[in-house]
């Protein structure tokens, strides 16, 4: 499984599609709204830090969906999954390799956006807070990985790509990752509190300076519930007959 995951990861990081949407999209958005249009958007001295965390979550989200959902759906559509199941690699091991690849795919965008925050916008935090934020984003991104697997097991071929984009854009936008939620209608702001994107953004903010005392309960509970529901979908769809279906 680990050898297959290594090969799959190398193929993923060479993908122009992955680099564009996960890394360059997140880095470009971050620079655009913190350097080019920062005066128009926010007067908060913490805006560069907070938006850095949000765009890191956004990049991690798409990295997971790409690594698990789009690639798994494409491989099922091309018949590659059927060929893999003819080897000693079992269905669970195949999905495990996909999950590991997708989890690793959440790191590049996070690291790049963190570097831009420190080098371009002078975001300053103690080393422990940098590591804590990185650890929280990477660890909790497992929920996004499970979401990607669920999409890849439900949609096949090009449908997986469109489904992932249909999941990514609304959850990133409504989760407040790209634009501040203050300008959203009250109903959408309340709904955002129950989205995994918003929950992970909140957790990443909670481990950085200035947010001590805020409750961890809701975001942790939201991520747990989403993870449990999505894991149920993955388990129910992980039979060899489903994996090999085109």
């Amino acid at each position: 499984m680990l050898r297959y995951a290594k090969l799959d990861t190398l193929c993923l990081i060479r993908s122009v599609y992955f680099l564009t949407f996960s890394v360059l999209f997140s880095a470009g958005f971050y620079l655009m709204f913190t350097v080019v249009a920062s005066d128009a958007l926010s007067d908060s001295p913490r805006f560069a830090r907070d938006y850095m965390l949000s765009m890191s979550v956004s990049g991690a989200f798409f990295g997971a969906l790409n690594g698990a959902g789009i690639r798994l759906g494409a491989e099922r559509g091309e018949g590659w999954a059927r060929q893999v199941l003819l080897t000693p690699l079992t269905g669970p091991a195949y999905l495990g390799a996909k999950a590991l690849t997708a989890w690793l795919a959440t790191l590049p965008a996070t690291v790049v956006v963190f570097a831009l925050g420190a080098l371009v916008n002078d975001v300053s935090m103690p080393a422990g807070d940098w590591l804590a934020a990185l650890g929280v984003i990477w660890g909790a991104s497992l929920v996004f990985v499970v979401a990607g697997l669920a999409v890849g097991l439900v949609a096949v071929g090009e449908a997986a790509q469109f489904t992932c984009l249909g999941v990514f854009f609304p959850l990133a936008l409504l989760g407040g990752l790209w634009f501040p939620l203050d300008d959203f209608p009250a109903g959408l702001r309340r709904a955002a509190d129950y989205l995994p994107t918003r929950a992970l953004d909140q957790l990443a903010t909670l481990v950085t300076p200035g947010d001590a005392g805020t409750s961890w309960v809701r975001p942790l509970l939201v991520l747990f519930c989403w993870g449990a529901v999505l894991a149920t979908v993955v388990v129910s769809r992980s039979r060899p007959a489903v994996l090999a279906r085109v």
Side-chain angles (χ1 to χ4, degrees):
M1 186 188 83
L2 293 179
R3 181 177 295 179
Y4 186 85
K6 177 182 178 180
L7 293 174
D8 200 37
T9 302
L10 290 175
C11 290
L12 178 64
I13 62 178
R14 293 170 182 167
S15 168
V16 175
Y17 186 84
F18 166 72
L19 292 175
T20 300
F21 277 92
S22 180
V23 180
L24 297 182
F25 179 86
S26 303
F29 243 60
Y30 179 66
L31 291 176
M32 181 171 65
F33 285 108
T34 59
V35 176
V36 178
S38 59
D39 293 338
L41 285 180
S42 179
D43 296 325
S44 171
R46 298 193 316 182
F47 177 70
R49 184 209 69 176
D50 292 345
Y51 201 59
M52 175 189 74
L53 297 174
S54 296
M55 291 312 302
S56 297
V57 174
S58 176
F61 186 23
F62 189 80
L65 289 177
N66 189 5
I70 294 177
R71 291 173 64 81
L72 176 58
E75 290 179 7
R76 290 178 62 221
E78 295 166 355
W80 176 251
R82 181 190 295 116
Q83 298 300 316
V84 169
L85 295 179
L86 296 176
T87 72
L89 192 69
T90 64
Y94 173 57
L95 290 179
K98 285 293 174 189
L100 181 56
T101 296
W103 196 30
L104 293 174
T106 64
L107 281 174
T110 303
V111 172
V112 168
V113 175
F114 272 32
L116 291 175
L119 299 176
V120 177
N121 289 313
D122 297 322
V123 175
S124 178
M125 297 188 293
D129 291 321
W130 284 102
L131 293 176
L134 178 63
V136 165
I137 293 173
W138 189 43
S141 289
L142 282 171
V143 175
F144 300 152
V145 172
V146 179
L149 291 177
V151 171
L153 288 169
V154 171
V156 181
E158 291 186 358
Q161 177 178 340
F162 292 117
T163 303
C164 282
L165 292 176
V167 169
F168 171 66
F169 285 108
L171 289 186
L173 178 62
L174 298 178
L177 299 184
W178 299 344
F179 306 106
L181 286 174
D182 295 340
D183 298 329
F184 283 37
L188 289 180
R189 291 200 302 270
R190 289 192 294 268
D193 288 332
Y194 299 95
L195 298 178
T197 43
R198 175 63 172 166
L200 181 47
D201 189 27
Q202 289 176 324
L203 285 181
T205 304
L206 285 170
V207 299
T208 56
D211 291 282
T214 306
S215 175
W216 294 64
V217 176
R218 174 176 286 180
L220 285 174
L221 186 59
V222 168
L223 288 173
F224 175 81
C225 291
W226 276 90
V229 171
L230 293 167
T232 301
V233 175
V234 171
V235 171
S236 68
R237 299 281 300 178
S238 59
R239 300 184 305 277
V242 174
L243 276 173
R245 186 179 302 160
V246 296

